[in-house]
């Protein structure tokens, strides 16, 4: 007498997906998924001296961090400059950027700016076939013409990265000849002090 095991036939049973590790344990595909990349604004307080920008840029190049923009300029404190760095990395990547920056001698503090005031300046050179239209778009985005010639108009405007992107797209109808953008500069919002270091470990 032969008996049948209860349950569905073999061909009707579910077949789990995902690969197995070296121990033969099946790995959940969701757990193995790539970490999500996010945009993060970092502020670094550094010595205001020659070679610092090259040292920081060299670090990013060696580590192949995905840097969207980097701006640097003097602060109210004599001898110190502030770097604003916009990165597009996973959470581990952002933490690695901060750790590596802190290892550099000229760097005094590094932190993420979660609620920041961000601004970028852009110069946009467009065709001058429709001066009234160019002026209208410039006014819409809070910009102004800083140079007008017989064939082109150069407009200056400031805003967030998204606002600058939208303005460049709006000016496309007039024929954008050139664009120069400074990259993002940022300060912590409200009364919060930008310069403190948000490190919680010594590694």
């Amino acid at each position: 007498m032969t008996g049948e095991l209860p349950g569905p036939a073999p061909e009707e049973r579910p077949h789990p997906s995902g690969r197995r590790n070296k121990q033969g344990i099946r790995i959940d595909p969701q757990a193995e998924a790539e970490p999500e990349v996010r945009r993060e604004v970092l502020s670094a307080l550094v010595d205001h001296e020659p070679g610092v920008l090259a040292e920081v840029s060299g670090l990013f190049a060696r580590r192949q961090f995905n840097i969207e923009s980097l701006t640097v300029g003097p602060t109210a404190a004599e001898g110190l400059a502030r770097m604003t760095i916009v990165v597009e990395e996973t959470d581990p990547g952002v933490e690695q950027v901060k750790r590596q920056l802190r290892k550099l001698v000229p760097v005094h503090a590094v932190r993420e700016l979660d609620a920041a005031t961000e601004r970028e300046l852009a110069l946009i050179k467009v065709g001058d076939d429709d001066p009234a239209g160019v002026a209208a778009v410039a006014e819409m985005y809070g910009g102004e013409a800083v140079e007008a010639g017989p064939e082109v108009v150069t407009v200056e405007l400031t805003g967030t990265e998204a606002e600058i992107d939208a303005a460049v797209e709006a000016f496309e109808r007039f024929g954008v000849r050139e664009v120069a953008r400074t990259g993002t500069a940022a300060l912590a919002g409200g009364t919060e002090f930008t310069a403190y270091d948000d490190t919680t470990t010594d590694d």
Side-chain angles (χ1 to χ4, degrees), residues 111-156:
R111 64 166 296 193
E112 296 181 34
L113 298 179
D114 296 322
T117 300
E118 300 180 31
R119 288 295 182 270
E120 179 177 355
L121 182 142
L123 294 174
I124 307 171
K125 184 183 293 184
V126 300
D128 193 28
D129 294 337
D130 183 4
V134 171
V137 173
E139 183 178 0
M140 182 187 308
Y141 289 95
E144 62 175 348
V146 293
E147 183 183 15
E151 297 183 4
V152 296
V153 176
T154 301
V155 175
E156 173 190 307

Side-chain angles (χ1 to χ4, degrees), residues 34-42 66-68 85-98 111-114 161 198:
E34 289 291 329
E36 183 178 353
V37 173
R38 63 184 174 94
R39 177 184 182 274
E40 191 60 56
V41 180
L42 305 178
N66 189 11
I67 304 301
E68 182 179 295
I85 306 156
V86 180
V87 300
E88 290 187 348
E89 285 284 350
T90 61
D91 284 342
V94 172
E95 292 303 316
Q96 180 72 356
V97 171
K98 294 194 293 183
R111 64 166 296 193
E112 296 181 34
L113 298 179
D114 296 322
E161 179 183 0
D198 63 5

Side-chain angles (χ1 to χ4, degrees), residues 178-194:
E178 291 182 292
V179 177
R181 300 173 63 159
T182 60
T184 297
L187 289 175
T191 58
E192 187 177 359
F193 193 47
T194 305

